[in-house]
């Protein structure tokens, strides 16, 4: 297997087959159970994504279906990724093959982790997600996602996606890898630390 | 948009710049790290050939993977040993203060930082752990971050973040006898739901909140994230100041006077404007227990498991999953549900006051024969204090195992795990599927006092029957 390469730079288009997970409040412990957090890198996480749910469903979990093995766009319901802040969760999804997520809603920390590693997250109303999930239950769905226009289009479906304007700009400009942007303001950072009252009276 | 709340005051003070995408660059006053979410961040730093910008603003401890039975090194678990070893090396290399096992100050990161006086009002605090919201109890703006953001804080002491909205949760009246902060926060999450807090900071306020001790306030803010709010806080008052005073890293002498003056100036006041306000009556809260697989699926001790038809349509799918996983039937009382394991500990309820309350319930009582019960102090300081008060002896005499500090079975990254479909009464914060180490293990969240009561009877019980005796 080729070594996993994380995304870099700007991008405006994500095309791929969809895979759907039905259910609200799917937490990051379900995405990657804590026992897999005993690692000092993220490399081996892809195969363990949803491992306990998959074992329970004995081969019938969407992530185990032969027809979905090349999917790269994940369709989810509400509050996806709630709970633990573990970045291992989106890292595991990305290493399995997920490149974008469309859902009713995402937990805050999960959302920022996805953005930080290059997985755009889009939202759609509950009914639209339901339509997509029903469609996927019967046949394969190939979406072309245009980040600039914020649309997802297949041969017989079309949706106007919602994405935070800040997130959209970051991916289109390629500035989603935050560290270097933050360090550009190093003089402002130095100025700030000298302004903060508690730094003055700190005994740390 | 909110104005003049403590959140706004602290956010504005820490804003370094507007970033080109539209988010804010926020300075992080205190960065806490542990062994699980930091190694990849240090790795990324080295890949980019960057240094830690302000090593004195980061503090480390080890908590998630530590064994609670035998802590001698090397750990029996090779992977756990590799993680603590990596953290030790990273802290030495980057000159970061590290409270290791045996230092007297090791423990769960969210227990340790407040007890050392590191956590102070008006700070921004970040940590690669969702329960960082705990520190909001002091009037700091504290939130969990992922590993990429840990890298950013190490490299720049800042992160990119969108400003949060502010919802005030006003808690009227007072909690009744036998009702604890844990019951109140479970009640709040049940009332508002597990996703209502997405995009918000929660400001907890009102007479019921003011009446809480600092440790109880930490329990409240700790679980903000279970209501979807990445950040939860309480305005600092005299209780806050007297808790901090004299602790190892608290401001000293002249600085103390200035600090208190500044802390007072940050508070929300009559001119504050909120994006939303919710009012609750704390006197109506009962001992509260979760029955499902999210912290929002809870009920009072005398209530019955709800049926699907009584729920909002949007809550029915996850409730269906909960019925299947937990084995409860609609209409069944939660009281008297048999318990296999009792766990007292965690960043939610592993502090000295939690242990005192539980010990009081257990004194002159015995753990039921079929129950495995263990208590994991939140830190070495908590353990020391408990031993000085003789609490360890009360627990052991009752039939509890007394363990060494760590996160333990809150997330079961060490060897403390449920087996099969055991049911645990747990003072921790998450009842997710598989959370306590067994893919079919079942967790009932409750206050430490309620866990103690359950350990005696071997089933879910009303702690008020024990404390009124």
């Amino acid at each position: 297997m080729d070594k996993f390469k994380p995304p870099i730079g700007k991008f405006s288009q994500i095309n791929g087959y969809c895979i759907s997970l039905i259910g609200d409040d799917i937490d990051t412990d379900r995405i990657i159970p804590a026992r897999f957090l005993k690692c000092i890198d993220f490399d081996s996480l892809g195969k363990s994504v949803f491992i306990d749910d998959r074992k329970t469903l004995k081969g019938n979990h969407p992530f185990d279906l032969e027809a979905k093995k090349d999917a790269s766009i994940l369709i989810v319901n509400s509050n996806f990724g709630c709970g633990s802040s573990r970045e291992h969760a989106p890292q595991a999804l990305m290493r399995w093959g997920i490149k974008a997520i469309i859902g009713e809603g995402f937990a805050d920390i999960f959302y920022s982790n996805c953005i930080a590693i290059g997985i755009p997250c889009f939202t759609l109303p509950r009914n639209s997600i339901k339509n997509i999930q029903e469609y996927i239950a019967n046949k394969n769905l190939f979406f072309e996602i245009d980040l600039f226009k914020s649309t997802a289009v297949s041969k017989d479906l079309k949706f106007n996606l919602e994405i935070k304007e800040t997130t959209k700009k970051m991916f289109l400009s390629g500035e989603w890898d935050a560290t270097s942007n933050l360090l550009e303001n190093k003089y402002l950072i130095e100025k700030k630390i000298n302004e903060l009252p508690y730094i003055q009276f700190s005994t740390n | 948009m909110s104005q003049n709340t403590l959140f706004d005051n602290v956010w504005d003070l820490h804003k370094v710049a507007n970033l080109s995408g539209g988010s804010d660059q926020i300075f992080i006053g205190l960065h806490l790290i542990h062994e699980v979410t930091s190694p990849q961040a240090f790795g990324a730093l080295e890949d980019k050939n960057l240094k830690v910008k302000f090593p004195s603003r980061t503090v480390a401890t080890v908590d998630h993977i530590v064994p609670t039975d035998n802590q001698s090194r090397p750990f029996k678990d090779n992977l756990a040993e590799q993680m603590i070893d990596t953290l030790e090396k990273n802290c030495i290399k980057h000159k970061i203060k590290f409270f290791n096992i045996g230092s007297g100050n090791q423990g769960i990161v969210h227990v340790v930082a407040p007890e050392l006086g590191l956590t102070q009002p008006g700070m921004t605090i970040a940590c690669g752990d969702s329960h960082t919201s705990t520190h909001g109890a002091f009037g700091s703006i504290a939130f969990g971050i992922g590993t990429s953001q840990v890298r950013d804080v190490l490299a720049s002491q800042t992160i990119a973040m969108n400003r949060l909205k502010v919802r005030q949760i006003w808690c009227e009246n007072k909690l009744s006898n036998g009702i604890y902060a844990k019951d109140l926060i479970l009640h709040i999450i049940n009332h508002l739901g597990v996703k209502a807090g997405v995009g918000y900071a929660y400001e907890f306020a009102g007479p019921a909140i003011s009446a809480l001790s600092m440790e109880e306030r930490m329990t409240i803010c700790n679980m903000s994230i279970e209501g979807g709010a990445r950040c939860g806080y309480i305005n600092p008052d005299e209780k806050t100041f007297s808790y901090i005073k004299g602790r190892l890293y608290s401001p000293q002498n002249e600085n103390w006077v200035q600090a208190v003056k500044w802390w007072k100036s940050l508070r929300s006041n009559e001119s504050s404007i909120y994006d939303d306000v919710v009012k609750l009556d704390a006197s109506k809260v009962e001992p509260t227990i979760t029955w499902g697989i999210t912290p929002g699926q809870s009920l009072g001790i005398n209530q019955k498991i709800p049926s699907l038809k009584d729920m909002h349509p949007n809550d029915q799918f996850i409730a269906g999953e909960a019925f299947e996983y937990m084995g409860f039937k609609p209409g069944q009382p939660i009281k008297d549900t048999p318990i296999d394991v009792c766990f007292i500990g965690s960043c939610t309820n592993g502090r000295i006051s939690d242990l005192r309350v539980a010990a009081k319930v257990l004194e002159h009582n015995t753990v039921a024969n079929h129950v495995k019960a263990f208590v994991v102090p939140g830190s070495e300081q908590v353990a020391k204090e408990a031993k000085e008060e003789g609490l360890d002896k009360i627990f052991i005499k009752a039939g509890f195992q007394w363990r060494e500090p760590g996160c333990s079975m809150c997330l079961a990254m060490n060897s403390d795990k449920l087996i099969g479909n055991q049911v645990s009464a747990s003072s921790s914060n998450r009842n997710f599927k598989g959370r306590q180490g067994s893919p079919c293990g079942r967790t009932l969240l409750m206050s430490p006092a309620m866990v103690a009561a359950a350990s005696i009877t071997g089933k879910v019980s009303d702690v008020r029957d024990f404390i009124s005796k």
Side-chain angles (χ1 to χ4, degrees):
Chain A
M1 207 169 114
D2 294 339
K3 185 167 162 47
F4 174 78
K5 290 196 194 74
I8 47 165
K10 55 180 158 187
F11 56 89
S12 57
Q13 190 83 23
I14 299 157
N15 301 336
Y17 283 102
C18 297
I19 181 169
S20 157
L21 276 178
I22 296 175
D24 300 311
D25 308 318
I26 293 180
D27 58 77
T28 52
D29 274 84
R30 276 172 78 178
I31 299 173
I32 187 86
R35 61 185 183 276
F36 296 100
L37 272 48
K38 277 193 273 183
C39 56
I40 56 168
D41 56 44
F42 294 124
D43 295 341
S44 60
L45 295 174
K47 61 182 186 298
S48 311
V49 71
F50 291 112
I51 193 74
D52 290 341
D53 283 2
R54 286 159 70 183
K55 279 185 184 161
T56 309
L57 291 175
K58 299 186 172 74
N60 291 319
H61 190 278
F63 277 66
D64 284 324
L65 300 177
E66 184 61 25
K68 302 292 177 203
K69 76 177 173 46
D70 294 323
S72 58
I73 299 171
L74 178 61
I75 311 294
V76 297
N77 296 100
S78 74
N79 202 28
F80 187 75
C82 59
S84 161
S85 63
R86 60 190 71 168
E87 190 174 299
H88 306 65
Q91 291 279 2
L93 288 167
M94 188 166 77
R95 278 165 168 75
W96 186 87
I98 299 301
K99 294 188 168 67
I101 313 180
I102 303 174
E104 286 173 46
F106 303 91
D108 272 344
I109 305 178
F110 178 83
Y111 183 90
S112 44
N113 285 340
C114 284
I115 302 315
I117 65 173
I119 304 176
C121 299
F122 303 89
T123 52
L124 277 176
R126 197 170 181 86
N127 278 339
S128 305
I129 293 289
K130 199 169 166 227
N131 291 344
I132 298 175
Q133 287 175 327
E134 282 169 2
Y135 188 100
I136 296 173
N138 300 312
K139 39 192 158 177
N140 275 337
L141 175 63
F142 188 90
F143 262 154
E144 292 182 3
I145 297 178
D146 184 318
L147 198 55
F148 185 74
K149 288 193 262 183
S150 302
T151 53
V153 181
S154 76
K155 65 179 181 353
D156 43 17
L157 294 176
K158 182 180 176 194
F159 294 95
N160 291 317
L161 304 170
E162 293 216 8
I163 182 163
K164 283 182 193 164
E165 206 53 34
T166 51
T167 309
K168 183 171 156 177
K169 278 187 191 159
M170 280 164 70
F171 285 114
L172 288 173
S173 65
E175 288 179 0
W176 53 273
D177 185 3
T179 321
S180 47
N181 294 334
L182 296 169
L183 284 171
E184 272 179 22
N185 292 327
K186 63 181 175 193
Y187 297 110
L188 294 175
I189 298 170
E190 301 278 354
K191 184 166 169 272
K192 181 56 72 182
I193 193 168
N194 291 318
E195 274 171 23
L196 291 169
Y198 59 84
I199 304 288
Q200 316 301 322
F201 50 66
S202 165
T203 49
N204 185 9
Chain B
M1 202 174 90
S2 64
Q3 282 173 30
N4 296 335
T5 67
L6 178 136
F7 176 86
D8 295 292
N9 296 338
V10 176
W11 185 274
D12 291 342
L13 180 67
H14 288 81
K15 187 165 156 178
V16 173
N18 294 312
L19 293 169
S20 58
S23 55
D24 292 345
Q25 181 170 2
I26 294 295
F27 186 90
I28 300 301
L30 176 65
H31 183 212
L32 303 167
I33 59 170
H34 59 81
E35 74 285 12
V36 178
T37 56
S38 70
Q40 295 91 341
F42 282 110
L45 213 61
E46 280 164 29
D47 289 347
K48 287 173 185 275
N49 210 9
L50 292 167
K51 288 195 294 198
V52 176
K53 190 159 179 67
F54 299 115
S56 69
R57 303 315 303 169
T58 293
V59 174
T61 191
V62 57
D63 52 10
H64 285 63
I65 51 92
V66 298
T68 60
D69 45 4
N70 178 359
Q71 297 191 325
S72 61
R73 300 282 299 278
F75 294 153
K76 268 189 281 181
D77 178 343
N78 289 334
L79 290 171
E81 176 60 30
Q82 189 188 14
M83 296 187 82
I84 188 173
D85 181 63
T86 304
L87 182 62
E88 285 170 336
K89 287 183 175 139
N90 281 327
C91 288
I92 291 170
K93 184 172 175 186
H94 297 281
K95 300 188 171 59
I96 291 168
K97 195 178 286 136
F98 177 37
F99 295 110
N100 205 342
I101 293 171
S103 65
N105 288 321
Q106 173 268 343
I108 307 174
V109 61
H110 310 308
V111 177
V112 167
E115 71 189 9
L116 289 173
L118 287 164
T119 300
Q120 294 168 21
M123 282 181 170
T124 45
I125 302 179
C127 173
D129 191 287
S130 62
H131 291 110
T132 308
S133 57
T134 310
H135 306 267
F138 292 79
S140 61
I141 296 304
F143 41 79
I145 55 178
T147 296
S148 294
Q149 290 189 312
V150 172
R151 173 203 63 202
D152 293 344
V153 178
L154 290 171
S156 74
Q157 205 61 37
T158 64
I159 59 169
M161 197 164 153
N162 289 322
R163 194 186 188 101
L164 298 167
K165 290 185 276 188
V166 186
R167 172 177 293 134
Q168 187 188 53
I169 300 174
W170 184 266
C171 301
E172 204 53 73
N173 297 319
K174 273 170 75 172
L175 293 172
S176 315
N177 192 30
I179 317 295
Y180 303 92
K182 182 64 156 289
D183 301 302
L184 176 57
I185 188 63
L186 285 172
H187 177 86
I188 291 171
I189 298 165
N190 175 263
H191 183 73
L192 293 175
V194 291
K195 47 186 164 276
V198 174
Y200 282 89
Y202 278 176
E203 177 181 294
F204 299 98
I209 298 293
S210 300
L212 297 176
S213 70
M214 286 313 295
E215 296 197 348
E216 291 172 309
R217 293 178 190 185
M218 284 189 251
T219 300
I220 299 285
C221 292
N222 172 276
M223 288 189 71
S224 306
I225 184 65
E226 312 317 333
R230 191 173 187 172
C231 164
Y233 70 89
I234 294 168
N235 283 293
D237 59 11
E238 293 304 325
K239 278 186 194 169
T240 319
F241 310 145
S242 74
Y243 178 99
I244 298 170
K245 193 166 191 183
R247 290 182 187 264
L248 190 56
Y249 294 103
S250 69
Q252 306 292 321
N253 307 322
E254 266 309 293
N255 284 337
W256 174 258
V257 181
Q258 283 183 42
V260 171
K261 195 174 158 202
W262 180 63
W263 293 340
K264 285 182 178 172
S265 75
L266 297 166
R267 295 189 286 216
S268 305
N269 57 41
E270 308 75 42
S271 72
S272 303
I273 298 170
Y274 298 90
D275 295 286
D276 189 29
V277 177
V278 173
K279 287 187 162 51
L280 292 162
D281 182 352
S283 67
K284 299 259 167 65
V285 178
E286 295 281 293
T288 303
I289 305 117
T290 62
W291 62 271
I293 55 172
T294 80
Q297 291 170 322
S298 69
L299 73 186
I301 181 76
N302 293 316
Q303 290 181 299
K304 290 178 174 151
I305 308 280
S307 64
L308 286 179
K309 64 174 170 32
D310 298 331
M311 294 178 199
H312 188 278
N314 289 357
D315 296 332
Q316 290 178 359
F317 190 90
I318 186 77
E321 278 192 279
F323 285 130
E324 193 177 329
Y325 186 84
M326 298 298 290
F328 284 119
K329 300 271 180 294
Q332 187 181 338
I334 189 77
K335 200 172 177 180
D336 294 337
T337 301
I339 297 293
D340 304 302
V341 177
C342 287
F343 170 61
I344 294 177
S346 84
C347 58
T348 312
N349 281 123
R351 296 185 180 80
I352 189 68
S353 58
D354 299 312
L355 270 49
R356 282 183 193 135
V357 166
K360 195 155 188 211
V361 174
L362 288 168
E363 205 165 15
H364 313 303
N365 280 305
T366 314
V367 171
N369 277 332
H370 70 276
V371 169
K372 174 191 168 178
F374 63 115
V375 54
V376 182
S379 70
E380 291 181 346
Q381 274 201 35
V382 171
K384 179 168 174 271
E385 216 174 333
K387 283 180 184 167
E388 282 165 4
E389 294 176 23
L391 303 184
D392 57 329
K393 292 199 176 64
I394 296 172
F395 278 107
I396 292 165
K397 194 174 169 213
F400 266 73
Q401 296 176 34
W402 177 264
R403 297 290 190 84
E404 303 294 337
C407 298
S408 180
M409 208 178 70
C410 173
L411 85 168
M413 277 192 76
N414 64 1
S415 58
D416 306 329
K417 294 176 196 300
L418 293 181
I419 299 164
N421 68 352
Q422 279 181 327
V423 176
S424 92
S426 181
S427 75
S428 56
N429 42 57
R430 288 186 174 139
N431 51 340
F432 298 152
K433 286 182 175 180
R435 172 75 179 183
Q436 293 194 293
S438 164
C440 51
R442 295 170 288 175
T443 302
L444 309 184
L445 301 175
M446 58 189 82
S447 73
M450 286 287 284
V451 176
S455 76
I456 297 163
T457 57
K459 50 197 183 181
V460 173
S461 305
D462 191 334
V463 70
R464 292 173 297 190
D465 297 339
F466 290 83
I467 53 180
S468 56
K469 268 181 201 165

